[in-house]
Amino acid sequence: RHPPPFEITMAYKEGEWTVGPWDCCSDPSAGCLVCCCAPCAVGQVKEMVTTGNASPSFTGDMTTCALTWLLGGCGFLISMGVRTELRNKYKLPEKPCGDCLFHCCCGCCAITQDLKEARIRVVNAGGPEATEMAR
């Protein structure tokens, strides 16, 4: 096996976000995924939140990905629910505003923040698929 090209090793505190809501460009892979296929990003976050492991598949949790895609303009309802699950699991504050308002006004920023946060916490927890997801 080859070592991963980079590792995400950030310290985090319980109850605090490790990435800011407007920090979309600090991880180009997350930003590009959200811009190109937001439902897949939401599926990946859902899989990491529910299993504690990163998904080896591009879509993550297939049901969440498909529902987000099928609902189109109302897909923010699914991504908002996934964000709420992420916040509840890691006891994160509802910042910069309520989940619904954040997803309605800047869904790409919200999903990118969720994806980056989930990746950091799963990689730092050392889930079996964590290294693969960090690539």
Side-chain angles (χ1 to χ4, degrees):
R1 288 185 60 150
H2 298 288
F6 65 90
E7 292 184 27
I8 301 172
T9 54
M10 291 184 70
Y12 60 87
K13 290 183 180 179
E14 193 73 27
E16 291 183 20
W17 290 93
T18 58
V19 293
W22 319 119
D23 201 13
C24 301
C25 297
S26 68
D27 179 1
S29 69
C32 287
L33 175 60
V34 171
C35 287
C36 293
C37 189
C40 293
V42 174
Q44 286 185 12
V45 173
K46 174 70 173 180
E47 178 124 350
M48 287 185 274
V49 168
T50 56
T51 67
N53 297 314
S55 172
S57 76
F58 183 71
T59 60
D61 180 70
M62 182 59 110
T63 304
T64 302
C65 176
L67 280 173
T68 305
W69 183 78
L70 288 171
L71 288 175
C74 294
F76 78 91
L77 296 170
I78 301 295
S79 60
M80 179 185 68
V82 171
R83 181 179 178 86
T84 301
E85 286 182 55
L86 175 74
R87 282 190 320 88
N88 289 340
K89 181 172 184 170
Y90 297 111
K91 298 173 181 67
L92 301 170
E94 202 167 5
K95 286 183 175 179
C97 54
D99 292 341
C100 184
L101 184 61
F102 192 28
H103 275 267
C104 286
C105 294
C106 193
C108 285
C109 293
I111 296 168
T112 302
Q113 183 185 29
D114 297 346
L115 180 61
K116 289 166 47 175
E117 190 73 31
R119 283 179 175 177
I120 289 166
R121 291 179 183 266
V122 167
V123 169
N124 283 341
E129 302 295 333
T131 304
E132 185 64 29
M133 188 59 171
R135 293 184 190 195

